[in-house]
Amino acid sequence: MIRALNAPCQRHPTPTGGKTLRLISMICCAALALAGCSTVYRSSDVIPGAGGGTQVRVVPLTGETVTQANRAAYAPQSLPEAYARTAGTGAGVSVRGAGRLPEAPSTQEGLRNQRLALKRPPAVPEMSYQIGVGDVVMLATPTTRNTLEELTGLLAAQNSRNGYTVQDDGSVNIPDVGRVRIAGLTIEDAEELLFQKLVEAQFDPTFSLEIAEFNSRRVSVGGAVGKPGVLPITLTPLYLSEALAAAGSVSVADIDVSSVRIYRGGELYQIPLTDFYASPDLQNTRLISGDAVFVDTDFNLNRAERFFEQQIRLKQTTLAARAQELSELNTAISLRRSDHAEQRSTFEAREDLGANDRDYVYLTGEVDKQTRYPLPYERQASLADALYDAGGGIARETGDVSQVYVLRASSDPREFGAVTAWHLNASSAANLTLATKFQLRPDDVIFVAENPVTKWGRTLRQITPSLITTPVAAAVN
């Protein structure tokens, strides 16, 4: 009796518990069968052939089929011109503020029976050349080395041709000596002044002064000459015959109605060509700085005067026009830049609000994010761009990398409902290079199928909760 009481208690399955286990086993078998025939869980798939009103043709992606797919005509949308133009492009501004330029004097046919009047300029006294602003002077040192070689910069070294321009205040600046005003002085007076300055600065004053370039005193020659231009006055006097010869000589058809006119100090002088060629004294008329010589075939003295007025007005209006043109150019560029910025801002705002008509590609199936990918402006987009730029890459846990499709409907109205499914098998990583070459077209659908394990798991999750909880609840009761 005691043994019976102390013996271990053995449990035997009750009839109800055995039925529950058998029921669960049957449920699992049913789930597998239902999952295989997709009775409970249904998902999208690419089915070749005809069905549901759509004719599907599956084409595997190869180098040849990618070339064939890319032949579909498509022109990417363009950005507005405001993104391509710059403010300076085409922003040239004409000279509007200069006003009407003075007209050149026209030639008139003179009367042969009316002799041109001779009005020669007054004689110019002989005087030495005076250094002026713009002239280039040179200080030449002795051949032996001495303390003067300590001067660098403005003092020229031995055999050097470096010149030094007389500045607008009429002076040259010598290091360790200072500014020395030499404008208006002759060469002799300038040498004496520089000698004193060098002695005061305790430098060896042995030097010679030369003028390398003559720029301060000039004479302009124009009209009926071979080469109109400006001639400098140097240490030697400049005579009228020499000036005309340097300008290419006189070129007139009839000397009887032609003359040489000289504008000097507000006065206009006239030498008829017949008198000029007949008189050596007139040919040796000495010119001075500021003279304007004009050879005219018109006997009217007033017409030559208008020529010189024109030159003065032309220079004045040109200078004024440059300033106004620069101002107008800056204003035009600023307006263009503001206009371009406003156009770009408006376009970007419309883009954010979805008001612009864009071309899209759609990503669906087992992708990280089901979305639409806008095709870029002004370039082609590839399948790889859409998969990786849009954040809709293949889902690593649920997507079947061997079943990636690009679905493209036929553009031929006679083939309405026909779809070509370009199939990419990405289970081989080398095939991903085809994705970088496959060009997308508007309304393409990129579809990634689910792998078989994912499909079975989703089916099981849908049917097992209700089938398991009902028998268990009955067994407990």
Side-chain angles (χ1 to χ4, degrees):
M1 188 69 180
I2 296 175
R3 288 180 183 174
L5 293 173
N6 293 334
C9 180
Q10 295 182 357
R11 291 188 177 182
H12 300 280
T14 61
T16 303
K19 292 179 179 180
T20 301
L21 292 176
R22 288 193 296 270
L23 182 59
I24 292 175
S25 299
M26 294 175 62
I27 291 171
C28 292
C29 294
L32 293 175
L34 292 173
C37 63
S38 300
T39 301
V40 175
Y41 174 73
R42 298 182 184 275
S43 62
S44 299
D45 202 352
V46 177
I47 304 174
T54 303
Q55 179 72 28
V56 179
R57 182 171 64 99
V58 178
V59 179
L61 275 189
T62 63
E64 182 179 353
T65 58
V66 167
T67 303
Q68 179 184 355
N70 291 345
R71 290 174 183 170
Y74 171 63
Q77 293 184 357
S78 299
L79 287 169
E81 293 185 2
Y83 284 89
R85 293 197 308 262
T86 61
T89 303
V93 180
S94 61
V95 184
R96 294 191 292 270
R100 186 177 180 180
L101 298 179
E103 296 181 356
S106 60
T107 58
Q108 296 180 353
E109 189 175 348
L111 299 178
R112 294 182 178 275
N113 56 1
Q114 182 176 356
R115 180 175 175 79
L116 295 175
L118 171 62
K119 183 181 179 182
R120 62 183 303 170
V124 178
E126 296 287 342
M127 58 184 305
S128 300
Y129 183 86
Q130 294 180 347
I131 301 172
V133 175
D135 286 343
V136 178
V137 298
M138 183 182 68
L139 296 176
T141 61
T143 56
T144 58
R145 300 180 62 87
N146 50 48
T147 57
L148 188 60
E149 292 180 355
E150 297 177 4
L151 291 176
T152 59
L154 290 180
L155 284 181
Q158 177 184 353
N159 297 328
S160 174
R161 300 301 298 174
N162 293 330
Y164 310 100
T165 304
V166 180
Q167 301 175 12
D168 55 358
D169 61 350
S171 62
V172 291
N173 189 15
I174 302 177
D176 299 327
V177 174
R179 303 182 71 86
V180 182
R181 182 179 178 84
I182 60 174
L185 301 180
T186 63
I187 295 180
E188 292 78 8
D189 294 339
E191 284 183 338
E192 182 178 353
L193 179 59
L194 289 173
F195 180 88
Q196 296 175 0
K197 294 295 183 181
L198 292 175
V199 171
E200 293 174 0
Q202 298 181 355
F203 288 108
D204 185 356
T206 305
F207 70 96
S208 63
L209 179 66
E210 300 177 5
I211 300 179
E213 296 182 15
F214 299 86
N215 299 320
S216 63
R217 305 183 184 281
R218 297 188 175 189
V219 172
S220 62
V221 182
V225 292
K227 296 184 297 183
V230 178
L231 304 176
I233 295 180
T234 61
L235 297 178
T236 58
L238 179 62
Y239 298 103
L240 181 57
S241 59
E242 297 174 349
L244 293 177
S249 299
V250 176
S251 177
V252 296
D254 191 347
I255 65 172
D256 292 334
V257 292
S258 302
S259 63
V260 179
R261 298 188 172 100
I262 302 174
Y263 184 79
R264 175 185 298 173
E267 294 290 334
L268 190 61
Y269 304 96
Q270 177 174 270
I271 301 176
L273 281 182
T274 53
D275 296 336
F276 175 79
Y277 288 128
S279 172
D281 186 42
L282 293 176
Q283 297 174 17
N284 292 329
T285 300
R286 184 175 180 180
L287 301 177
I288 62 175
S289 178
D291 280 355
V293 179
F294 182 76
V295 179
D296 197 0
T297 59
D298 188 352
F299 67 91
N300 188 353
L301 194 62
N302 294 331
R303 301 210 53 82
E305 185 176 4
R306 284 199 295 271
F307 166 79
F308 299 108
E309 292 177 354
Q310 180 215 29
Q311 301 303 312
I312 297 173
R313 291 178 56 197
L314 181 61
K315 195 171 201 59
Q316 293 173 344
T317 52
T318 301
L319 293 175
R322 287 179 181 174
Q324 185 163 349
E325 182 179 5
L326 181 60
S327 176
E328 293 176 354
L329 180 62
N330 291 333
T331 302
I333 292 177
S334 178
L335 292 175
R336 284 177 176 268
R337 186 176 291 116
S338 299
D339 182 57
H340 292 170
E342 182 177 2
Q343 293 180 27
R344 295 169 185 171
S345 176
T346 301
F347 175 81
E348 292 168 1
R350 289 177 57 87
E351 189 80 0
D352 294 339
L353 296 173
N356 294 332
D357 186 15
R358 290 295 302 273
D359 294 330
Y360 291 96
V361 169
Y362 302 88
L363 291 90
T364 186
E366 299 305 316
V367 292
D368 290 335
K369 179 183 179 182
Q370 300 203 28
T371 183
R372 63 178 185 176
Y373 170 68
L375 294 180
Y377 291 98
E378 299 183 355
R379 71 175 182 87
Q380 300 280 358
S382 67
L383 173 58
D385 291 334
L387 286 176
Y388 299 106
D389 283 357
I394 302 173
R396 290 183 295 179
E397 295 182 358
T398 61
D400 188 351
V401 294
S402 67
Q403 301 294 320
V404 180
Y405 297 90
V406 178
L407 307 178
R408 180 176 300 172
S410 175
S411 59
D412 191 346
R414 296 171 296 180
E415 298 179 358
F416 180 77
V419 175
T420 301
W422 305 95
H423 176 211
L424 172 65
N425 183 1
S427 60
S428 173
N431 288 341
L432 290 174
T433 59
L434 297 174
T436 64
K437 303 300 182 182
F438 187 91
Q439 297 177 359
L440 297 174
R441 296 295 182 262
D443 299 328
D444 280 354
V445 177
I446 301 173
F447 172 76
V448 180
E450 59 186 351
N451 59 47
V453 175
T454 301
K455 186 173 184 179
W456 181 84
R458 289 173 177 171
T459 302
L460 189 61
R461 283 197 301 272
Q462 286 191 7
I463 66 174
T464 54
S466 60
L467 294 179
I468 293 176
T469 55
T470 300
V472 171
V476 172
N477 293 332

